[in-house]
Amino acid sequence: MQRRKIEIMDTTLRDGEQTSGVSFSISEKLTITQLLLEELNVDRVEIASARVSEGEFQAVKNILVWAEANGYADRIEVLSFVDDGVSVDWMVQSGVKVQNLLTKGSMNHLTHQLKKTPQQHFAEIKKVIDLATNHNIATNVYLEDWSNGMRNSPDYVFQLLDALSVLPVKRILLPDTLGILTPTETFTYITDIKSKYPAIHFDFHAHNDYDLGTANVLEAVKAGIDGLHLTVNGMGERAGNAALASTIAVLNDFCPGIEVQMKESAIYSVSKLVETFSGIRIPSNKPIVGSNVFTQTAGIHADGDSKNNLYFNDLLPERFGRKREYALGKTSGKANIEKNLQELGLKLNDADLKKVTQRVIELGDKKETVTKEDLPYIISDVLDSSLYGEKVVVESYVLMNSMGLRPSATIAVKIDDEKFEENAQGDGQFDAFMNALTKVYNKKKRRLPKLIDYAVRIAPGSSSDALCETIITWETDQKKFITRGLDSDQTVCAIKATQKMLNII
């Protein structure tokens, strides 16, 4: 069976940048454009709106220089306006080859915002398109508020489509501008339009105000839509746009007659980069790209995965460059523990495994975070064995922080049954502790790993006296690794995490 090709246009850099508080720099816009086209292999990228700012102009200009040099100029698009040629002049100066012209797709917008008749609006649209054509700029046309137009003024929508059908328009873009469509409406409206204009290429642009973005996209595809507008991480104004990751997974798994030329394996890495650039954190339970979506927490699920993958579905993490994990907490069972021990290369008999499982559950009840790296310490503590013996112990310490004096630390550390005491000052209590520890290791002629990241957090919902978690990333010549410490005191957390590091090295 020959599959029908669906074009994907990513609008993270235009519509997605309308997410409150988000503004990409010039270099970030170029980097994201390059990844979208070369790594994800999207068909087109909408990168900006014309006339917004000088920074936007420079970003578009830089992107078009790169795009021209690499054969992507006809896949770069910019939102433009019916403004008597001002947008066209802006695009000519910036090098843009494709405009997405914003027109009024509902009688309500036309009457109350533009205060013009349909004939006046159509004449102005034709003038802009003719001018763009004279400058070798191809035109796609947005029908702003099209969804409300189909609900309340369908005669006007078809009148506009009739006018556009005789103009040099490459694609007509149908946005659910306010995110108000139901899946049934989406299917009905697009079916009606495609049946009347079968030769025209139509795109669907879904917003997610009712959390129906992906469902509406699926119905649009069933109705015969030719292209879709998506954003990385579902970014966009208000509740955002239809998310690229979810949509691609749905199309690949539930639409066998559809073809999209997207590289699923690149979705997660691009998603994380956009998260970093935008500052908008991905919810942990967001499908495909959230931190928890490939994590089994319940023990019964881990057990089922060990018995013919009973809790697997088609959303295998490897498709998206990820892997399945098994959380450790109060709902953990023996199967969760075993899965994590396997990754550490450890194995326990049934009796010992039961004891360790009980301890993990107890820690989970106290809202303590248990990680795979913590398991050897729990095993050592619970079983009182040398399976992962602590050869280095921070036996005692005194931390001083006095007004007018530099913070200081006095520590006592036992290394292979040999005890050392040192004192040092630092820029803070933990810095003083590390300086004293460095003196100890200098005596042993050993070098400590480099501390490259330090983060402290309190679990959501905790009270002020709850446990905090310190997460430290260390680096040696051979590897990077992370240790965690838990305590009600932030500095003690860091010291506990450091002691874990000392035993790992």
Side-chain angles (χ1 to χ4, degrees):
M1 180 180 66
Q2 185 175 5
R3 297 195 295 169
R4 179 164 62 93
K5 170 80 163 57
I6 297 287
E7 279 189 359
I8 302 298
M9 191 268 270
D10 183 281
T11 183
T12 304
L13 295 175
R14 200 278 297 175
D15 215 0
E17 197 179 34
Q18 292 177 194
T19 304
S20 179
V22 173
S23 178
F24 296 114
S25 69
I26 293 174
S27 61
E28 287 171 345
K29 280 207 165 194
L30 176 58
T31 298
I32 292 171
T33 301
Q34 291 169 336
L35 288 173
L36 290 171
L37 290 170
E38 297 188 326
E39 296 298 321
L40 274 175
N41 197 32
V42 300
D43 296 284
R44 297 143 48 207
V45 181
E46 188 176 46
I47 61 171
S49 299
R51 303 165 30 201
V52 168
S53 67
E54 179 61 26
E56 195 84 328
F57 176 80
Q58 290 301 326
V60 171
K61 198 170 182 178
N62 286 7
I63 290 171
L64 263 298
V65 168
W66 169 81
E68 285 279 9
N70 292 275
Y72 294 120
D74 62 341
R75 295 167 65 179
I76 304 292
E77 303 173 6
V78 165
L79 182 75
S80 61
F81 307 95
V82 180
D83 54 11
D84 201 28
V86 178
S87 290
V88 172
D89 183 60
W90 189 96
M91 288 185 289
V92 169
Q93 294 182 49
S94 60
V96 172
K97 301 300 181 186
V98 183
Q99 69 165 338
N100 293 336
L101 182 63
L102 191 69
T103 69
K104 294 305 178 183
S106 72
M107 198 66 183
N108 188 46
H109 270 221
L110 179 65
T111 302
H112 294 96
Q113 192 168 45
L114 294 189
K115 303 185 188 308
K116 294 183 178 181
T117 66
Q119 290 69 29
Q120 289 173 319
H121 190 41
F122 301 165
E124 291 176 346
I125 292 170
K126 182 181 185 304
K127 183 178 178 181
V128 171
I129 293 175
D130 288 344
L131 182 61
T133 302
N134 290 338
H135 286 283
N136 296 315
I137 296 173
T139 298
N140 305 318
V141 177
Y142 268 115
L143 274 57
E144 186 181 19
D145 200 38
W146 163 81
S147 46
N148 267 317
M150 290 299 291
R151 270 188 183 177
N152 305 309
S153 53
D155 289 344
Y156 166 75
V157 174
F158 285 106
Q159 191 180 2
L160 174 55
L161 289 173
D162 284 342
L164 292 174
S165 67
V166 297
L167 296 177
V169 172
K170 197 168 185 180
R171 304 174 185 88
I172 296 178
L173 320 176
L174 309 175
D176 182 13
T177 304
L178 300 179
I180 51 92
L181 289 181
T182 66
T184 300
E185 286 176 311
T186 301
F187 180 82
T188 301
Y189 295 158
I190 292 176
T191 298
D192 290 346
I193 284 175
K194 284 297 296 182
S195 64
K196 188 167 184 180
Y197 307 95
I200 296 178
H201 177 115
F202 288 97
D203 283 2
F204 179 57
H205 179 110
H207 277 262
N208 206 35
D209 295 68
Y210 284 95
D211 206 17
L212 290 173
T214 305
N216 286 338
V217 162
L218 183 58
E219 292 303 305
V221 169
K222 290 178 181 178
I225 204 72
D226 303 290
L228 299 169
H229 297 185
L230 309 170
T231 61
V232 177
N233 300 336
M235 292 176 62
E237 198 166 22
R238 305 183 312 275
N241 294 37
L244 183 143
S246 301
T247 299
I248 297 306
V250 165
L251 295 182
N252 285 336
D253 289 357
F254 301 123
C255 299
I258 296 301
E259 177 186 355
V260 288
Q261 296 179 354
M262 292 279 298
K263 297 178 184 175
E264 284 188 335
S265 59
I267 286 176
Y268 183 63
S269 59
V270 174
S271 171
K272 295 300 288 184
L273 185 74
V274 171
E275 176 187 46
T276 299
F277 284 174
S278 67
I280 303 297
R281 296 298 167 229
I282 302 170
S284 59
N285 64 339
K286 189 166 186 65
I288 313 301
V289 295
S291 59
N292 288 350
V293 297
F294 297 116
T295 300
Q296 300 283 39
T297 301
I300 189 173
H301 294 165
D303 179 64
D305 287 350
S306 299
K307 297 172 180 176
N308 201 36
N309 297 331
L310 296 180
Y311 291 91
F312 280 23
N313 60 21
D314 288 338
L315 287 175
L316 297 175
E318 292 77 14
R319 285 172 53 181
F320 311 100
R322 306 188 64 184
K323 72 174 188 174
R324 194 172 304 280
E325 297 180 355
Y326 295 88
L328 300 172
K330 68 179 182 180
T331 61
S332 296
K334 291 192 296 182
N336 285 61
I337 311 298
E338 282 184 308
K339 290 281 189 182
N340 284 276
L341 289 176
Q342 285 171 10
E343 291 194 25
L344 292 170
L346 301 174
K347 186 173 179 61
L348 298 176
N349 60 45
D350 287 343
D352 290 344
L353 183 60
K354 185 175 180 180
K355 294 177 184 177
V356 171
T357 300
Q358 187 57 42
R359 176 55 63 88
V360 170
I361 292 171
E362 290 171 2
L363 291 170
D365 273 334
K366 297 177 181 177
K367 293 192 176 182
E368 292 199 31
T369 302
V370 182
T371 68
K372 179 177 63 181
E373 290 75 19
D374 294 321
L375 281 177
Y377 299 95
I378 296 172
I379 291 169
S380 179
D381 179 46
V382 171
L383 305 181
D384 193 25
S385 70
S386 59
L387 182 62
Y388 197 96
E390 289 192 325
K391 297 182 179 180
V392 181
V393 179
V394 180
E395 290 195 326
S396 59
Y397 49 84
V398 177
L399 307 174
M400 298 290 292
N401 193 9
S402 303
M403 184 175 178
L405 298 174
R406 292 189 73 199
S408 64
T410 300
I411 67 172
V413 181
K414 182 183 285 187
I415 305 175
D416 295 326
D417 295 326
E418 185 179 2
K419 190 171 182 178
F420 299 85
E421 291 187 11
E422 283 293 346
N423 175 271
Q425 293 179 312
D427 293 330
Q429 290 182 335
F430 182 62
D431 185 53
F433 172 85
M434 289 300 298
N435 289 339
L437 188 62
T438 299
K439 287 184 178 182
V440 170
Y441 271 69
N442 286 341
K443 286 182 177 179
K444 296 283 289 182
K445 294 184 170 27
R446 294 172 64 182
R447 190 173 66 173
L448 291 173
K450 183 180 178 182
L451 190 158
I452 61 172
D453 191 46
Y454 181 105
V456 179
R457 67 183 182 187
I458 296 174
S462 295
S463 58
S464 59
D465 60 346
L467 288 171
C468 67
E469 181 182 40
T470 298
I471 306 163
I472 304 179
T473 304
W474 311 89
E475 184 176 44
T476 67
D477 293 337
Q478 291 78 33
K479 64 178 180 178
K480 288 182 183 179
F481 62 97
I482 293 173
T483 59
R484 291 171 167 83
L486 287 163
D487 197 86
S488 57
D489 182 276
Q490 179 178 324
T491 305
V492 176
C493 278
I495 292 172
K496 287 184 175 181
T498 303
Q499 179 168 299
K500 290 183 180 181
M501 173 272 291
L502 295 173
N503 284 282
I504 288 174
I505 63 172

